[in-house]
Amino acid sequence: DTAVSQTPKYLVTQMGNDKSIKCEQNLGHDTMYWYKQDSKKFLKIMFSYNNKELIINETVPNRFSPKSPDKAHLNLHINSLELGDSAVYFCASSHRATYTDTQYFGPGTRLTVL
Amino acid sequence: EDQVTQSPEALRLQEGESSSLNCSYTVSGLRGLFWYRQDPGKGPEFLFTLYSAGEEKEKERLKATLTKKESFLHITAPKPEDSATYLCAVGGGSEKLVFGKGTKLTVNP
């Protein structure tokens, strides 16, 4: 009965490769997010989608491209991976795109770029 | 720009030794202050939302309070299973959730 799930849990790859992370939520929420947690454990938002529409796009390199095929799924594709992309990426969802609504997080994907 | 500062960065307690974690914030129009717990290798787990100064919420050994400038997470008689990193986040005028760096709590038996 996982509410927000991500795959894969771990991802180890070489610099320059392209990779994707998938996220699914079964909470019936309208809004989904991608966060990056760096080595200092600082959690920062990257993107937010509401009903498949991009509503937040922080200052993120355009090598990162989110895609939302439907409101229960939000995938993150990363092109030309760099060493600095190594981090834990979290997907989250909330009922609506307002910041009074609680966000529920997935288990994270630990990306290691060699 | 919305900012969140949590202190201390790390806290070690003996089982049963009560204490408080601090979250100071600056935000243009607070819409919600959130507390999360994060265990190693896992995603943040929601604990509380506070919306206005003076509001308090409790859950087991945890109690969260809110003023106009800060929030406290009080831990009463903690147990080793309360060991985790506690994250504070604010939602405000920037239309995004801004997190602090967290307080790593260790409770020794």
Side-chain angles (χ1 to χ4, degrees):
Chain A
D1 274 20
T2 306
V4 182
S5 59
Q6 294 178 230
T7 54
K9 174 88 172 155
Y10 300 97
L11 188 51
V12 181
T13 188
Q14 299 288 330
M15 236 177 8
N17 283 351
D18 302 339
K19 290 293 179 186
S20 292
I21 306 171
K22 295 186 176 182
C23 178
E24 176 180 0
Q25 55 95 3
N26 63 6
L27 297 168
H29 289 167
D30 286 344
T31 309
M32 296 184 73
Y33 312 81
W34 278 112
Y35 284 84
K36 179 179 180 180
Q37 189 170 46
D38 60 26
S39 57
K40 295 183 179 180
K41 307 298 184 187
F42 193 38
L43 197 62
K44 191 168 183 183
I45 191 164
M46 300 171 69
F47 302 104
S48 172
Y49 270 75
N50 186 57
N51 275 324
K52 303 193 296 178
E53 182 182 341
L54 181 66
I55 56 172
I56 289 179
N57 185 353
E58 288 293 294
T59 308
V60 175
N62 57 16
R63 297 182 294 103
F64 290 77
S65 52
K67 283 189 171 55
S68 182
D70 56 61
K71 73 175 190 177
H73 295 85
L74 180 62
N75 303 323
L76 183 65
H77 188 76
I78 315 170
N79 289 325
S80 303
L81 278 155
E82 299 179 356
L83 294 176
D85 297 332
S86 295
V88 182
Y89 292 85
F90 288 99
C91 176
S93 73
S94 65
H95 181 51
R96 300 165 301 175
T98 67
Y99 293 90
T100 54
D101 275 14
T102 300
Q103 294 183 20
Y104 294 90
F105 285 78
T109 296
R110 181 175 292 278
L111 171 64
T112 303
V113 182
L114 303 175
Chain B
E1 186 174 319
D2 299 346
Q3 287 190 333
V4 177
T5 303
Q6 291 188 246
S7 62
E9 288 188 15
L11 181 62
R12 283 188 176 271
L13 299 173
Q14 288 299 120
E15 185 172 0
E17 179 187 2
S18 302
S19 189
S20 297
L21 312 182
N22 177 262
C23 171
S24 298
Y25 63 90
T26 53
V27 62
S28 55
L30 180 71
R31 297 169 74 174
L33 184 140
F34 302 83
W35 281 99
Y36 286 85
R37 168 191 172 130
Q38 186 173 23
D39 291 297
K42 296 192 175 180
E45 176 188 345
F46 171 71
L47 293 173
F48 303 109
T49 310
L50 301 167
Y51 294 109
S52 57
E55 190 174 359
E56 299 182 352
K57 287 193 176 171
E58 285 188 71
K59 179 181 178 181
E60 297 181 354
R61 295 176 293 282
L62 300 177
K63 179 180 176 180
T65 62
L66 180 64
T67 72
K68 288 185 178 180
K69 293 183 179 180
E70 57 193 349
S71 176
F72 291 94
L73 185 65
H74 306 277
I75 304 176
T76 302
K79 298 182 177 182
E81 53 262 42
D82 295 323
S83 297
T85 295
Y86 290 85
L87 300 171
C88 172
V90 294
S94 65
E95 297 295 331
K96 63 185 179 183
L97 212 54
V98 176
F99 280 82
K101 293 186 178 180
T103 294
K104 183 177 180 180
L105 174 66
T106 304
V107 181
N108 296 313

